[in-house]
Amino acid sequence: MIKIDKNEGWINLSTTNCSYIIKLFRNQYPLHFYWGKKIPTPGKREFPYMEPTRGNLVIPEPANDKIYIELLPLEYAYQSSGDYRPSSFNILDKHNNPVIETKIKEYSILNEKPNIPGLPCTWAKEGEAQTLKLVLTDSIKNLDIILYYAVIEKYDVIIRWCEIKNNGTQEFYIKRLMSLSMDMLNNNYQFLFLEGAWARERQICKEIIKPGLKQIGSIRGISSHQFNPFFAILDKNADEHKGSVYGFNLVYSGNFIAEVDCNYDKNLRLNLGINPWEFSWNLKPGASFYTPEGIMVYSDTGLNGMSRIFHRFYRERLSKSTWRQKMRPVLINNWEATYFNFNEDKLLKIAESAKQAGIELFVLDDGWFGERENDKTSLGDWFENKRKLPSGIGLFSKEIEKLDLSFGLWFEPEMISKESKLYKEHPDWCLHLPQRLRGEGRNQLVLDLCRKEIRDYIFKLISDILSNASISYIKWDMNRTLSHAGSIAYPDEPQGNIMYRYMLGVYELMFRLTSHFPDILFEGCAAGGGRMDPGILHYMPQFWISDNTDALSRLKIQYATSLVYPPIMMGAHVSDVPNHETGRYTDMEFRGLVASSGSLGYELDLNSISVIDIKNIRDQIVFYKKHRKIIQFGNFIRLLSPFENNTTAWMFITQDKKEALLFHFALLNEANLPPSLLKLIGLDEDSFYVEQRTGLNFSGKELIHRGFLITNKKQDFKAQYFHFKKKNLN
Ligand code: DGJ
């Protein structure tokens, strides 16, 4: 809900548990007053942050000798005006003169959350959202900067984005335009972000904020394996379970930047938006430019509280897919079982065993099209490889269906191989810079999806296949980052613009395909988790979070990914041992429980493993199906971090707290270890629970305050689960 006190210039954006308060100061500066636990609007008083005279600072208005712009906590920051912190925007006219002065022009409340043209965004049902539209204007340049703050009270989120509108007759160049900026007063905060690499995505990194500028981001054309477009600011003593945490996530899949600037007073300026690297957007008279949206979440119950808000909101209001709230099928994917080396017979044998094990969906991965015998050829030639699949995809999908399995197919729609019919016909359809090398990654080039005719072509090829076969799942892969980003359609544009246009093109293609085939479950993938972000998750409510299927590595990847994204969105597979990426052996139970913590799948040849493991897999699937609803739709709570302990533990709890699953993973064993008490979280204090496997009774208070005893088993990589049900006292 949004309340405006026009007389005193306060705007209070409040959700169920938090307030975000802005002060409109002297009709010029929207100042950041507060964001945190719910408080009332302050009432009549000046902004309590006017400094006594301090030397050597710039005064933007001589009449107001106490206003040093560099000390003001701004909602959206000027440039070139005496504020030397990283600005929210940088807009130049054609003589390179900047837009430097904006005044508050008007503000209003919309009773909805508008969509952002061309970009993925979260949404709200009628009556769920209000949006503050705060218009700043540079009257000399005739340019409006419109700040949007959508408030979705019941989900406890605030969503920010920005529009630049050119009302004048001259053109401008947008060099930098953040989705959100925020200034916070010194509180010895910590900065938490997710760093990584291929097969080691999203590792938690937490730093004490020190003076200077810290940036994370991507200029790879995708949000990247290296950094996720997410960060959190934590109170000094905040942790998983307590303290104030401020979470930020950008709904965008291309180049992004997140900045934390700490000045000499230890005050912070936060920025999140499109990366300004080689970005220069020509804003013509009459035109608007919109940033992607940034989601902001406040929690006073630590990181778990923040994640709970993100999870619920993303499960319910990020994607519009019909699969959003549908239970996900247990799948088998042939990639690690066969790689490129398969034929119909081999696949059908895997599918038959999969059916017997209780699997519901068979996914045919890379290698089924063109002349694709390895990763050097055929991307773009989306028609069957008849040597491998003489019946063609249509008939083959029917064969799979006869086994009472659904059928899924892999595509990599954004790519083109040099060795392909498509490249022979259209050598200029890839992104490239004139007269420069066409840099390849994984032996492939990137299609110029800035161009509509290329998107139309790919749409037609893929939709023909989807219309002529029985396909209920698509894995949309993307195996290389962008480089040499030039488009013959936009010969004068810098690489940052092309990468942005490329992203708009990808979104348009994703929108078209997902809305044309609304019953298909789309799973995103980018060489594993290289583009797992809310932008893609808007179109595809599931993501293959890493090519690393080693259960131990996965503990970390899934734990850290869950800071923002809910388990239902994480594709998690049991694969063979020794693991193909790490060479590690872990037992089937350990692999099974780790993968059962997400949307479960299998990625191994069921015909080449032991009878005992086949039986274990059957039992796992029975277990998963029984508990799938809690795992996919319950609250997820992290108890012990693999980044800090030799054990990991997490829980799934139904919304009504009647049922809970506790998963415990012991990593490296030591001799003579005592049992340990693990304090559970999120249960009902005033109820009693029965652990279903042992029949033991516990009060909720005991499990929460004393803990649950975990005994040590004599084994490395030992997984255990416990199932609690509320006791019916009647
Ligand atoms: C990368 C994906 O992450 C893998 O799962 C697999 O689909 C390969 N690409 C296929 O090329």
Side-chain angles (χ1 to χ4, degrees), residues 67-321:
I67 297 175
Y68 305 109
I69 189 156
E70 147 174 15
L71 300 179
L72 292 179
L74 296 164
E75 278 295 314
Y76 211 65
Y78 289 32
Q79 57 189 191
S80 320
S81 58
D83 180 355
Y84 300 105
R85 296 166 292 182
S87 68
S88 314
F89 63 91
N90 178 12
I91 302 170
L92 303 178
D93 67 16
K94 66 171 188 241
H95 306 294
N96 287 324
N97 287 320
V99 171
I100 57 165
E101 262 186 27
T102 59
K103 295 227 181 313
I104 297 167
K105 182 175 169 186
E106 59 195 19
Y107 46 91
S108 56
I109 298 173
L110 315 174
N111 283 318
E112 57 162 352
K113 175 182 184 290
N115 287 331
I116 307 178
L119 287 167
C121 42
T122 54
W123 55 280
K125 285 190 178 161
E126 210 181 311
E128 277 182 352
Q130 283 193 319
T131 303
L132 168 70
K133 191 173 167 187
L134 179 55
V135 185
L136 314 178
T137 196
D138 184 326
S139 50
I140 297 172
K141 303 282 186 194
N142 226 336
L143 197 108
D144 285 349
I145 298 182
I146 306 167
L147 306 182
Y148 293 91
Y149 298 74
V151 179
I152 312 188
E153 193 172 348
K154 90 173 210 205
Y155 287 102
D156 252 330
V157 294
I158 294 172
I159 301 148
R160 286 186 59 179
W161 69 100
C162 169
E163 173 191 351
I164 299 286
K165 194 156 183 250
N166 184 354
N167 298 316
T169 49
Q170 58 167 318
E171 46 185 50
F172 292 95
Y173 288 87
I174 302 171
K175 302 279 180 182
R176 174 184 172 93
L177 190 67
M178 293 295 110
S179 294
L180 63 90
S181 285
M182 211 178 79
D183 290 352
M184 294 173 90
L185 296 187
N186 175 5
N187 197 18
N188 293 317
Y189 288 113
Q190 306 172 76
F191 178 47
L192 182 148
F193 56 98
L194 301 175
E195 61 87 26
W198 172 77
R200 195 163 37 79
E201 294 87 339
R202 288 175 298 285
Q203 308 286 302
I204 294 178
C205 208
K206 197 161 67 173
E207 295 173 354
I208 292 168
I209 297 174
K210 300 212 173 105
L213 174 63
K214 169 90 188 181
Q215 289 181 336
I216 59 164
S218 166
I219 55 167
R220 295 165 192 266
I222 61 172
S223 49
S224 86
H225 297 84
Q226 283 69 17
F227 294 107
N228 199 259
F230 156 81
F231 68 93
I233 300 294
L234 277 66
D235 258 359
K236 192 169 137 204
N237 298 318
D239 59 23
E240 278 286 14
H241 311 296
K242 63 171 194 324
S244 283
V245 174
Y246 304 83
F248 302 83
N249 198 197
L250 190 68
V251 185
Y252 186 60
S253 316
N255 294 347
F256 78 96
I257 196 165
E259 296 177 332
V260 180
D261 180 67
C262 178
N263 76 357
Y264 44 82
D265 286 338
K266 312 288 182 297
N267 293 333
L268 305 186
R269 154 84 40 93
L270 311 177
N271 283 318
L272 179 63
I274 292 177
N275 198 315
W277 173 79
E278 288 209 16
F279 189 77
S280 180
W281 194 263
N282 181 212
L283 192 70
K284 298 259 190 288
S288 272
F289 180 90
Y290 292 84
T291 69
E293 64 183 32
I295 314 291
M296 308 199 335
V297 165
Y298 168 75
S299 151
D300 67 340
T301 50
L303 287 163
N304 266 305
M306 173 196 76
S307 305
R308 201 164 50 244
I309 298 172
F310 272 122
H311 289 187
R312 177 167 166 244
F313 184 50
Y314 283 178
R315 271 196 313 257
E316 297 178 18
R317 295 289 180 271
L318 175 55
S319 173
K320 287 194 168 167
S321 162

Side-chain angles (χ1 to χ4, degrees), residues 680 683 687-704 706-709 723-729:
L680 307 192
L683 297 173
S687 293
F688 285 82
Y689 290 86
V690 184
E691 201 287 306
Q692 300 294 303
R693 298 172 81 195
T694 53
L696 293 175
N697 282 275
F698 301 90
S699 68
K701 285 199 172 71
E702 179 187 332
L703 292 171
I704 293 167
R706 178 172 188 268
F708 178 72
L709 199 69
H723 179 203
F724 299 90
K725 266 192 177 171
K726 214 185 228 188
K727 204 165 166 181
N728 192 347
L729 293 176

Side-chain angles (χ1 to χ4, degrees), residues 198 201 225 333 335-336 339-340 365-367 372 375 379 410-412 442 444 475 477-479 524-529 544-549 573 603:
W198 172 77
E201 294 87 339
H225 297 84
N333 176 304
W335 180 242
E336 284 199 22
Y339 294 104
F340 293 104
D365 209 277
D366 194 354
R372 187 95 164 159
D375 65 13
L379 293 168
W410 179 98
F411 283 95
E412 194 173 1
R442 209 202 188 202
Q444 61 199 52
K475 179 170 171 188
D477 205 347
M478 198 280 180
N479 280 302
C525 174
W544 178 232
I545 62 170
S546 181
D547 276 350
N548 185 348
T549 52
H573 297 179
E603 193 161 327

